[in-house]
Amino acid sequence: MVQRLLPTREAEALLDLTRDIADAELRPVAAHHEDNGEFPREVFRVLGKAGLLGLPYPEEWGGGGLPYEVYLQVVEELATAWVSVAMGVSVHVLSCFPVASAGTRAQQAEWLPPMLGGELLGAYCLSEPQSGSDAAALATTAAPTGDDYVVTGTKAWITHAGEADFYNVFARTPGTTGATGVSCLLVDADTPGVSAAPPENKMGVRGSTTAQMIFADARVPGPRLLGREGEGFGIAMAALDAGRLGIAACAVGLAQAALDTATAYARHREQFGRPIGQFQGLAFLLADMAARVQAGRALYLDAARRRDAGLPYGTEAAIAKLVATDNAMAVATDAVQVLGGAGYTQDFPAERYLREAKLLQIVEGTNQVQRVVISRNLLR
Amino acid sequence: MKIAVCVKQVPDTWAEKKLTDADRTLDRESADGVMNELDEYAVEEALLLTEASGGEVVAVSMGPDKAEETVRKALQMGADSGIHIVDDSLHGSDAIATSLVLSKVLADKGFDLIIFGSESTDARMSVVPAMVAERLGVPQMTFANKVEVAGETLKIQRQTEYGYDEVESSTPAVVSVVEKINEPRYPSFKGIMAAKKKPIETVTVADAGVDAGQVGLAAAWSQVDQFSERPPKAAGVKIEDDGSGGVKIAEYLSEQKFI
Ligand SMILES: Cc1cc2nc3c(=O)[nH]c(=O)nc-3n(C[C@H](O)[C@H](O)[C@H](O)COP(=O)(O)OP(=O)(O)OC[C@H]3O[C@@H](n4cnc5c(N)ncnc54)[C@H](O)[C@@H]3O)c2cc1C
Ligand SMILES: Cc1cc2nc3c(=O)[nH]c(=O)nc-3n(C[C@H](O)[C@H](O)[C@H](O)COP(=O)(O)OP(=O)(O)OC[C@H]3O[C@@H](n4cnc5c(N)ncnc54)[C@H](O)[C@@H]3O)c2cc1C
């Protein structure tokens, strides 16, 4: 068990609760859902009831009022058991961000309680087939029509597509180009014209549904605009700064699980008359893995503490996401190596960790894009 | 309705349990303490009963300082307040002494219902609820897999080997529950924050009106003179299947009197 520095006894109790839920509700079913590509909606209900879907938002609206420092360690702990669910929590929290940060008080009072209370699940729709890293090239339009917006276009790679109850949709006013014409709308799942395509057939994280979302002249009421028209891209980027830390926490939890699997194996597997952990060549591999896990953890916690203190943290968040996910990839690869032939089979979770780690280098800004963010801030 | 739930802190169910060399009592330091699993069902049942018809739930635990965590856990799940009976003289108490102290504390407070888990994972004797009922002179309604209260009438389904008995009594009464009865809730983060402000009263042996000479290791009716570790697992029997594997397995099982 990871020894954590937590600010309060209540935070410790929250982490205990998270571990109990992870052990009882996530770990036993993760492999089955991953094999079958089944989204565990009921697990999110359990998490919602326990209050884990709104932790970093104000208590006034039903959130936990917790600093990122604590919330992210909850995500990390969930990720040691099942990355699909930990990432789902991170994406849900991301999709509450636009209302919480840019909504009016009236919008917050109306929508945040059910979003944070765990009854509803959210999705965040920024990427499109032709605009991934270059998010500002998005083509989905939101045409002002009477008191409504008519939304038309296709969003790609949407986590919780078809499962979510609400969708944050970034769409542009017709005739605009680039970042300036983009607005953010909160769209109900049952809005006519909104539908999900069949899920992508992914190499990993198959317990998390990913699919295109199709908006075919979907009429969204005017009061569902978050912030002002044209402010959407700024909202999207601010949300991603915070969301990246969630992905970093997922990566650290995943890497910790891979390290634990490898360490346990190295203690018991004997070759040449002794446990393989007693060969320095292998022990040093484990040492490097542990160093990588801890480095990722230290980086995301540092960025989180800056955010909690109200300091700028965009560069630190990008560095944390870059290093934690690259480290998770390396650690997961080495875990397979430590298990030898066994690591390459589905009898052990190491190969699953390897498939899952790869995703974290791609989502919420590829690791190249993190470098773009970091270097741009350096050279500014 | 005023309900007491008795909760016990036990070593983590999956942890290796040890006795101490010093006085041959359970080593409570060597493993993480958790709420006895069946006591979670007891807390859940108390919460369900008061949620349905009003009232309050008080979590009561006798145990060392650390046992406060278990009282706190009951508060996080939703109990209203706690009583922690803690006193150095209690160390090594047997079931008879435990039931004495619990019954004294419980008698003072006037509960309509006292709910226990039907056994603890460390001692596994299932006798404390019955002893407490006896000492309080109230009905003992043990091994319940269903509980209903209407006015001053208590009805339970008492789990038996082949089904259940329907048993009825008046309140106040002592109930012990089995795991079939419900599905205990997780605490919520709100529950964790709310528990921070809920009172836990600490009670000593003297506060309970019990003479320290009646409790603890020295007063126990039985003592452990000697103990040895469980022998390591034997290698096991390997049966190669050359066509007669099924027969050999059956022979083995019948030799061991499993079938
Ligand atoms: C499982 C999954 C879940 C996802 N969930 C969501 C979601 O919920 N919501 C959402 O909006 N999106 C989501 N995404 C989309 C994700 O954010 C994009 O996949 C990601 O931003 C990359 O975009 P792309 O796939 O179009 O790749 P591209 O942008 O086409 O990139 C291809 C390659 O080119 C590199 N590249 C691109 N531009 C540059 C550059 N300027 N310099 C150097 N290299 C560059 C990239 O790093 C990458 O290696 C998800 C994706 C996946 C796979
Ligand atoms: C798909 C697949 C196909 C295969 N096909 C064949 C086949 O056709 N024929 C065949 O005979 N075998 C085959 N193998 C077996 C393969 O050669 C072994 O998996 C390999 O030799 C490693 O042995 P192991 O899996 O038992 O791992 P182990 O030997 O248990 O090694 C576990 C880890 O410990 C490390 N280690 C072990 N000893 C030391 C040491 N002294 N110092 C430092 N590190 C050490 C290893 O490098 C590894 O990282 C196959 C394996 C797979 C996965």
Side-chain angles (χ1 to χ4, degrees), chain B residues 59 70-82 191 195 198-200:
Chain B
T70 289
V71 180
R72 185 77 58 195
K73 167 101 187 261
L75 302 185
Q76 291 168 353
M77 288 173 75
D80 300 284
S81 63
K198 292 176 180 172
I200 298 181

Side-chain angles (χ1 to χ4, degrees), chain A residues 10 13-14 17 21 24-25 46 49-50 55 62 64 66, chain B residues 32 68-69 72-73 76 186-190 192-193 196:
Chain A
E10 289 66 41
L14 173 65
L17 168 63
I21 294 180
E25 313 284 339
V46 172
K49 259 199 188 147
L55 290 175
L66 278 176
Chain B
D32 271 349
E68 194 201 297
E69 296 163 7
R72 185 77 58 195
K73 167 101 187 261
Q76 291 168 353
Y186 290 105
S188 69
F189 183 60
K190 283 203 181 70
I192 289 172
M193 294 310 285
K196 212 174 137 173

Side-chain angles (χ1 to χ4, degrees), chain A residues 31-87:
Chain A
H32 175 84
H33 280 258
E34 287 300 319
D35 286 351
N36 296 290
E38 285 166 11
F39 179 72
R41 184 66 181 91
E42 66 292 353
V43 167
F44 284 89
R45 291 208 174 86
V46 172
L47 297 175
K49 259 199 188 147
L52 300 193
L53 293 183
L55 290 175
Y57 293 111
E59 286 172 274
E60 181 181 13
W61 308 126
L66 278 176
Y68 259 58
E69 174 189 1
V70 176
Y71 151 65
L72 291 172
Q73 297 194 68
V74 169
V75 172
E76 183 198 321
E77 200 64 57
L78 292 172
T80 63
W82 193 359
V83 160
S84 284
V85 170
M87 194 178 93

